[in-house]
Amino acid sequence: MFADILPDLKAQIPALRGRLLPNEPLAPLTWFRVGGPAQALFMPEDEADLAYALANLLGDVPVTVIGLGSNLIVRDGGVPGVVIRLGRGFSEVTIEGDQRVRAGTGVPDVKVARAAQEAAIAGLAFFRGIPGAIGGALRMNGGAYGRETKDALIEARGVDRGGRVRVLANADMHYAYRHCGAPDDIIFTQALFQGAPGDPQKIAAEMDKITESREATQPIKSRTGGSTFKNPPGHKAWQLIDAPGCRGLTVGGAQVSERHCNFLINPGGATAADIQTLGETVRPRVREHSGVELEWEIKRIGVPR
């Protein structure tokens, strides 16, 4: 448990409209279901509420943003400062002219894919294969099945640490593979995507194929965090992990998935330390076997217990 900083926060941001909770457990908000609490969890009502909070929050207060928790390890000691989670006020999807889709960053990726399909907009079905929400896709250049966020994004809107609303064009995001070069302090609130005219039935069939592929090859019904490591240039991470015999490897309560060994899973009794230690056990084995250094794709936040 952290010291209660809510009285200080409420003094700094008295006109806050969203929910502010002390020592709120974060494990239930992550797919791994592990980790400690947020010293203070803030769920802003909307973009204006978020901008007000960031503009008036003292600069020495750490701020961390989380989404649906699908690609995230919260360490067992929790996260000091303010953890911001975008929810109801950032959950709209609207269809605009010229096959464009505007989505709040709290919207699950799959919901964007479905909205585009229903509107006969092609080019966004790949979002069906990305676990998580649009905010994470923006920050990580999320991609699946041959396309990435950078291939569809027109612009992203967000709020910086000073409370200023920023609009970034695709080029301003400085995208690379699983990387976004936009300033780290920007909390994205909205995205505008470009699609193309399409046939709803064909798009639905494409999405069904993605669903079938995921169910056949990934441990989607397990407590997991998606792909653990980025694919190094010219390699597939799962093959590098499999080659030195890491499939099924365990540390404490955490395990390398038998189904897809670039997935770490929590069968039920793992801690965040178990999961991170397992990943750090795999990396040197891969390096010794192949000479390739695996880079984490899963984000890790907070402090150890």
Side-chain angles (χ1 to χ4, degrees), residues 4 9 50 64 77 88 123 190 213 218 241 244 276 281 286-287:
D4 184 359
L9 293 178
L50 172 65
T64 305
R88 183 179 56 189
Q190 194 180 92
S213 176
Q218 300 176 11
I241 296 166
Q276 184 161 338
T281 301
V286 168
R287 184 174 59 247

Side-chain angles (χ1 to χ4, degrees), residues 9-289:
L9 293 178
K10 288 180 177 179
Q12 295 173 37
I13 41 179
L16 209 63
R17 290 179 288 116
R19 296 178 68 196
L20 188 62
L21 303 171
N23 279 297
E24 185 69 10
L26 292 178
L29 304 182
T30 73
W31 286 25
F32 275 122
R33 296 294 192 268
V34 298
Q39 187 167 18
L41 179 65
F42 173 45
M43 291 165 283
E45 189 70 22
D46 50 31
E47 184 185 80
D49 196 33
L50 172 65
Y52 165 76
L54 292 174
N56 292 279
L57 200 60
L58 294 179
D60 61 351
V61 178
V63 172
T64 305
V65 64
I66 64 172
L68 293 185
S70 60
N71 199 234
L72 181 70
I73 297 172
V74 176
R75 295 186 177 100
D76 297 307
V79 185
V82 176
V83 175
I84 296 174
R85 188 172 194 252
L86 306 185
R88 183 179 56 189
F90 304 84
S91 61
E92 256 191 79
V93 181
T94 56
I95 305 300
E96 301 188 356
D98 299 321
Q99 289 78 49
R100 292 183 171 186
V101 179
R102 189 177 298 275
T105 47
V107 177
D109 299 323
V110 63
K111 187 175 178 181
V112 170
R114 286 174 181 156
Q117 180 269 329
E118 291 170 359
I121 297 174
L124 302 179
F126 74 97
F127 277 120
R128 176 63 187 91
I130 306 176
I134 290 300
L138 290 175
R139 182 53 71 182
M140 295 184 65
N141 187 24
Y145 300 93
R147 281 176 67 79
E148 296 176 311
T149 300
K150 70 176 180 62
D151 299 322
L153 183 71
I154 297 174
E155 65 182 28
R157 180 182 173 103
V159 181
D160 67 20
R161 184 62 176 83
R164 295 172 289 270
V165 174
R166 305 272 298 273
V167 178
L168 283 72
N170 189 314
D172 300 326
M173 302 292 276
H174 303 290
Y175 277 136
Y177 171 67
R178 299 297 179 269
H179 170 79
C180 173
D184 290 337
D185 71 326
I186 293 178
I187 297 176
F188 295 119
T189 58
Q190 194 180 92
L192 180 63
F193 297 107
Q194 180 67 63
D199 178 85
Q201 290 186 332
K202 290 182 179 178
I203 300 168
E206 181 183 356
M207 291 170 58
D208 287 344
K209 188 175 179 180
I210 289 172
T211 301
E212 291 167 6
S213 176
R214 290 187 68 229
E215 289 178 348
T217 61
Q218 300 176 11
I220 59 173
K221 295 182 180 179
S222 301
R223 295 179 178 179
T224 185
S227 296
T228 304
F229 301 107
K230 300 177 183 180
N231 288 320
H235 299 276
K236 291 185 177 179
W238 77 265
Q239 292 176 337
L240 294 170
I241 296 166
D242 201 21
C246 293
R247 184 183 294 268
L249 182 68
T250 62
V251 169
Q255 182 181 24
V256 176
S257 170
E258 295 274 6
R259 173 168 287 191
H260 190 312
C261 48
N262 195 26
F263 283 65
L264 306 183
I265 61 174
N266 171 15
T271 64
D274 290 340
I275 297 168
Q276 184 161 338
T277 301
L278 178 57
E280 291 299 339
T281 301
V282 167
R283 293 179 71 232
R285 293 193 184 189
V286 168
R287 184 174 59 247
E288 291 164 12
H289 187 270

